[in-house]
Amino acid sequence: MPKKKPVNLSGDGTAAPSSAQPVPPIDTWWWLTHKGTTTSFLCISLFALLIRSAVSTFPYSGAGTPPKFGDFEAQRHWMEITTNLPAIDWYRNGTHNDLTYWGLDYPPLTAYQSYIHGVLLRTFNPESVSLLSSRGHESYHGKLLMRWTVLSSDALIFFPAALFFVLVYHRNRAKSEVAWHIAMILLNPCLILIDHGHFQYNCISLGLTVGAIAAVLCGSEVLTCVLFSLALSHKQMSAYFAPAFFSHLLGKCLRRKNPILSVLKLGIAVIVTFVIVWWPYLHSADDFLMVLSRLAPFERGIYEDYVANFWCTTSILIKWKKLFTTPSLKSISLAATVLASLPSMVHQILSPSNEGFLYGLLNSSMAFYLFSFQVHEKSILMPFLAATLLALKIPDHFNHLTYYALFSMFPLLCRDKLLLPYLTLHLLFTLIYHSPGTHFTLPKTKASSFSFTSFPAYVFLLRTHFFISLVLHVVYLTIQPPQKYPFLFEALIMILCFSYFVMFAIYTNYTQLNFSSHFRSADKEKKQT
């Protein structure tokens, strides 16, 4: 007769389980989440604003480097132009508006934003926007007001849009996971360094885009069209997301009983929004074409600097600018961008879903970053934003993308003397990302279970990449490049980041195209009468 297992007794003499129960993971977010999502968002927002304020105390693009300075001076100059000249002259070369000196090259909504901020500067520091005489203005109060305009833009546009997305996207999810995702969105190190360090206003167009994405998720398609049209009217780089919005909305319209009526309704929303924003320049074809010509500076060539995209990286072996004319390169880059975006678009037209839409945003923006004409280092903000919204779905790949997105901008940030914020924000991201009790407990679905990290060869390649990147960090900061190859280190950083971006794009496209029936049916829309 088999022996009976001994019965463990608890302190009160009652039988206790023979095997210990698994210890639940420590939830480091409990103190922040126990009062709800909105409270968590407000607390994280305050911390995010504090971090932004700290970064803004460091130098900016072109600080103290005449004659053209940098992006800070460009933004200030646009405020000078918009507050002193009529709207019709904002994009026109003239005596008081020399387009060769930081001429306005963004759509009208950026000009209106510059006007509003310019009025603020003119009220409290008039000399900072006085016509012509304010070029290169860098007074303490002028810089302080400029920094506050970015901070307020973030707080008034990007933060509310992020809250809108969080409330819509996280309807049935653990509070700790939601808080972690909020932190990933609001403490986006790339956006903070570019907007509050380097100095730009990407938070406005990205905020409008996030609002449009949230509107898609809650089924408000007209609002989606309005918000995304505003994003396009603020920065033309928002077009990186256009294939995903177009294909998803078209796919949903085609599944209805009156697809033509649905498409017409959305088309009217888009046209009305653009007409309102562009109204000062619609009175004549010349004025309209004048603005459009400023938005597409093809004369600069297919690439500038050392950006980690296809054209710049392969130019080491293939001299694109010598082999092809600019018109030919425009056509080639357009074809490559469309082909890279096409699988994701076809997927959403045939089988639209909210999950597929988020992956579509990531895949189309990465296709534009890798293959479109005139990409800048800062353009990585577009695919990185989409990846941030999917951080809970692809946590490992999101972690790697964050590292290489930051690294791809490393030379730019070093030129701006932002090394300390670069390292500090990277450390902050790592601490928050690895906080226990959040994304690592997510159940994996069939669609998300595939990962390159399951292949030893990929893991080895990733570790090798990481080791080389650490070496390049040190080498870039401590060693002078050969005189014959002054940009050798920038080129090596570019090649390393490009190779990772390609692997990441392959993975995310594969993931979108292989959704399980669970994803395809989760957002299935009933036929509408």
Side-chain angles (χ1 to χ4, degrees):
M1 188 173 182
K3 293 181 179 181
K4 293 183 178 180
K5 292 182 179 179
V7 178
N8 297 325
L9 296 178
S10 60
D12 60 358
T14 58
S18 58
S19 59
Q21 295 293 327
V23 179
I26 299 173
D27 187 358
T28 55
W29 297 87
W30 176 87
W31 65 275
L32 188 62
T33 62
H34 69 285
K35 289 191 176 181
T37 299
T38 304
T39 302
S40 301
F41 188 91
L42 290 175
C43 292
I44 296 172
S45 296
L46 290 175
F47 180 67
L49 289 172
L50 178 63
I51 294 297
R52 284 161 165 77
S53 300
V55 171
S56 67
T57 62
F58 286 82
Y60 46 82
S61 170
T65 55
K68 294 194 70 173
F69 300 91
D71 277 1
F72 178 90
E73 169 62 10
Q75 301 288 344
R76 188 215 58 79
H77 179 65
W78 296 345
M79 297 178 196
E80 169 197 341
I81 294 300
T82 54
T83 53
N84 287 283
L85 298 177
I88 199 64
D89 291 331
W90 291 349
Y91 294 90
R92 180 178 291 147
N93 195 49
T95 306
H96 300 298
N97 186 18
D98 181 6
L99 294 182
T100 62
Y101 184 82
W102 296 119
L104 190 57
D105 54 5
Y106 283 111
L109 196 57
T110 288
Y112 304 150
Q113 163 236 309
S114 297
Y115 173 78
I116 293 171
H117 291 157
V119 169
L120 176 69
L121 264 69
R122 187 173 61 187
T123 302
F124 295 99
N125 192 240
E127 61 272 18
S128 64
V129 289
S130 60
L131 191 61
L132 299 180
S133 63
S134 62
R135 285 192 178 185
H137 184 88
E138 292 183 295
S139 70
Y140 172 78
H141 288 101
K143 290 186 288 187
L144 184 64
L145 287 169
M146 289 282 286
R147 289 296 196 185
W148 272 107
T149 60
V150 185
L151 199 64
S152 61
S153 298
D154 235 339
L156 294 174
I157 298 177
F158 187 79
F159 282 41
L163 177 60
F164 183 20
F165 172 82
V166 166
L167 293 176
V168 172
Y169 186 60
H170 295 297
R171 290 174 178 170
N172 298 298
R173 196 183 292 275
K175 291 180 180 179
S176 60
E177 293 171 358
V178 177
W180 179 87
H181 200 191
I182 292 170
M184 291 294 100
I185 295 172
L186 297 187
L187 293 169
N188 177 329
C190 296
L191 180 60
I192 294 175
L193 285 169
I194 293 300
D195 275 14
H196 299 273
H198 179 84
F199 200 92
Q200 285 192 343
Y201 293 90
N202 295 287
C203 56
I204 297 177
S205 59
L206 292 181
L208 292 168
T209 301
V210 172
I213 294 168
V216 168
L217 300 184
C218 70
S220 301
E221 294 168 5
V222 172
L223 179 60
T224 296
C225 291
V226 171
L227 290 175
F228 187 61
S229 296
L230 290 174
L232 284 169
S233 295
H234 185 264
K235 280 203 169 184
Q236 58 268 41
M237 283 192 304
S238 299
Y240 282 35
F241 300 115
F245 277 99
F246 173 79
S247 58
H248 180 75
L249 293 176
L250 179 61
K252 293 178 75 174
C253 289
L254 292 177
R255 300 172 77 197
R256 295 176 179 155
K257 289 186 176 180
N258 297 305
I260 296 177
L261 184 61
S262 298
V263 171
L264 186 62
K265 179 178 68 174
L266 300 184
I268 291 173
V270 170
I271 292 171
V272 169
T273 304
F274 273 104
V275 166
I276 292 174
V277 174
W278 288 70
W279 182 250
Y281 309 100
L282 297 180
H283 299 293
S284 75
D286 289 341
D287 291 338
F288 179 68
L289 294 175
M290 172 187 65
V291 178
L292 285 184
S293 67
R294 294 294 304 161
L295 307 186
F298 292 117
E299 68 279 358
R300 296 179 187 173
I302 195 168
Y303 60 83
E304 287 182 301
D305 296 327
Y306 285 83
V307 60
N309 78 338
F310 175 81
W311 307 111
C312 196
T313 304
T314 57
S315 68
I316 296 173
L317 299 175
I318 306 172
K319 305 304 178 184
W320 299 103
K321 293 181 179 181
K322 293 182 179 179
L323 291 174
F324 300 95
T325 62
T326 298
S328 297
L329 287 175
K330 286 194 297 185
S331 301
I332 294 171
S333 65
L334 176 61
T337 306
V338 171
L339 286 174
S341 305
L342 200 57
S344 176
M345 292 179 65
V346 171
H347 177 270
Q348 280 303 284
I349 292 173
L350 298 179
S351 182
S353 66
N354 285 349
E355 206 72 39
F357 169 62
L358 293 178
Y359 275 95
L361 291 165
L362 177 52
N363 290 325
S364 70
S365 57
M366 186 59 82
F368 270 75
Y369 178 82
L370 291 175
F371 297 108
S372 64
F373 200 97
Q374 255 296 315
V375 173
H376 297 274
E377 303 102 316
K378 295 158 284 192
S379 301
I380 194 62
L381 291 174
M382 305 298 163
F384 187 67
L385 172 72
T388 304
L389 301 183
L390 281 166
L392 281 166
K393 297 293 182 181
I394 51 171
D396 292 337
H397 294 280
F398 169 67
N399 183 27
H400 302 152
L401 180 66
T402 302
Y403 179 82
Y404 287 102
L406 279 169
F407 190 41
S408 70
M409 298 189 297
F410 180 64
L412 170 71
L413 297 172
C414 284
R415 289 197 298 271
D416 292 341
K417 300 178 182 178
L418 295 171
L419 177 61
L420 182 58
Y422 171 88
L423 296 174
T424 305
L425 284 177
H426 211 148
L427 176 62
L428 177 63
F429 167 83
T430 302
L431 291 173
I432 296 174
Y433 175 85
H434 289 288
S435 59
T438 53
H439 55 294
F440 298 109
T441 61
L442 284 176
K444 289 187 177 181
T445 63
K446 182 179 178 182
S448 62
S449 60
F450 170 81
S451 175
F452 285 165
T453 54
S454 61
F455 295 100
Y458 174 77
V459 174
F460 174 77
L461 184 62
L462 201 62
R463 289 174 179 173
T464 304
H465 264 64
F466 180 67
F467 175 75
I468 295 173
S469 71
L470 293 179
V471 172
L472 282 175
H473 274 98
V474 176
V475 167
Y476 187 89
L477 294 173
T478 59
I479 300 177
Q480 288 293 327
Q483 289 186 353
K484 188 176 180 180
Y485 304 105
F487 300 106
L488 174 64
F489 301 148
E490 284 90 345
L492 292 175
I493 292 172
M494 171 190 69
I495 294 170
L496 197 71
C497 294
F498 171 73
S499 60
Y500 176 76
F501 293 153
V502 170
M503 290 187 290
F504 180 81
I506 293 172
Y507 167 73
T508 54
N509 274 277
Y510 176 90
T511 303
Q512 181 183 350
L513 298 177
N514 286 275
F515 278 134
S516 67
S517 58
H518 168 76
F519 281 149
R520 284 195 290 267
S521 61
D523 303 306
K524 195 172 183 179
E525 187 178 64
K526 294 182 179 179
K527 294 283 184 177
Q528 296 184 4
T529 56

